[in-house]
Amino acid sequence: MTTSRTLYLFCSAAPPVFDVARVIEAAQADGWDVCLGLTPTASGWLEESLGGLATLTGHPVRSEYKRPGEADVWPPADVILFAPATFNSINAWALGLTSAFVLGVAAEGIGKRVPTVAMPCVNAAYVRHPQFEQSLATLRAAGVTVLYGDSGFVPNQPGEQRPEGYPWRIALDTVSAVAAPQP
């Protein structure tokens, strides 16, 4: 009997979030049971699609913490993918600021040793801020696989659109590579 593994897909409010349904379908084709978590702004951007995304995943889309004592509506994660991860999300996560649900679960995932992959989505102006490289180094030192630069996302100039799009396939392939082997 084959059981699917659980992928927590966490997304910040960046343009690639609008491709999330296609990404979920690709992850499901790779054998993942996908649970979708969004930052509050990303949830607002996708508000009209949340019901359809919940149907697609078979799980509620989450952007808020559950109340104490409430049962968790998601199965435990086998792996976490945080993409697109904005400048704000990367820095808050690295600093341990967990006001947003996805940041809290990603931070806790480090402590639980859940294999975690992050792929930023930031423009070249943001990456010039000194905190960004420090945050990437902090996440890498904590065991997060960061797909940035030649091995993942390459920043574009502010306002520049990329015709080839966000490298989602690199992220999904990396998720499969870092996840513990299926029993």
Side-chain angles (χ1 to χ4, degrees):
M1 176 170 135
T2 303
T3 59
S4 63
R5 298 176 295 167
T6 301
L7 165 65
Y8 284 8
L9 174 59
F10 292 161
C11 302
S12 299
V17 77
F18 292 111
D19 294 329
V20 75
R22 183 181 57 78
V23 175
I24 291 166
E25 290 170 340
Q28 290 170 331
D30 291 347
W32 293 103
D33 177 22
V34 181
C35 296
L36 178 62
L38 303 169
T39 63
T41 303
S43 182
W45 285 12
L46 298 176
E47 185 174 3
E48 294 177 8
S49 304
L50 296 179
L53 292 168
T55 299
L56 179 61
T57 64
H59 303 284
V61 176
R62 295 186 61 192
S63 61
E64 296 181 10
Y65 286 103
K66 65 182 183 67
R67 292 181 181 170
E70 285 183 344
D72 200 339
V73 295
W74 287 358
D78 291 296
V79 66
I80 296 169
L81 170 60
F82 203 143
T86 60
F87 177 79
N88 185 60
S89 292
I90 290 288
N91 290 325
W93 182 16
L95 292 169
L97 304 175
T98 60
S99 59
F101 164 74
V102 294
L103 294 171
V105 176
E108 187 177 44
I110 290 171
K112 290 181 173 180
R113 301 188 198 287
V114 176
T116 302
V117 176
M119 189 158 59
C121 184
V122 295
N123 69 43
Y126 281 124
V127 303
R128 288 185 190 104
H129 190 285
Q131 184 59 50
F132 185 71
E133 286 295 334
Q134 291 174 16
S135 293
L136 294 181
T138 297
L139 292 173
R140 285 182 176 122
V144 175
T145 301
V146 178
L147 302 174
Y148 175 73
D150 293 337
S151 64
F153 179 79
V154 177
N156 51 297
Q157 293 303 311
E160 177 184 71
Q161 298 296 319
R162 278 231 169 86
E164 73 278 10
Y166 190 69
W168 281 111
R169 189 72 250 170
I170 291 171
L172 292 175
D173 289 345
T174 303
V175 160
S176 293
V178 303
Q182 210 170 3

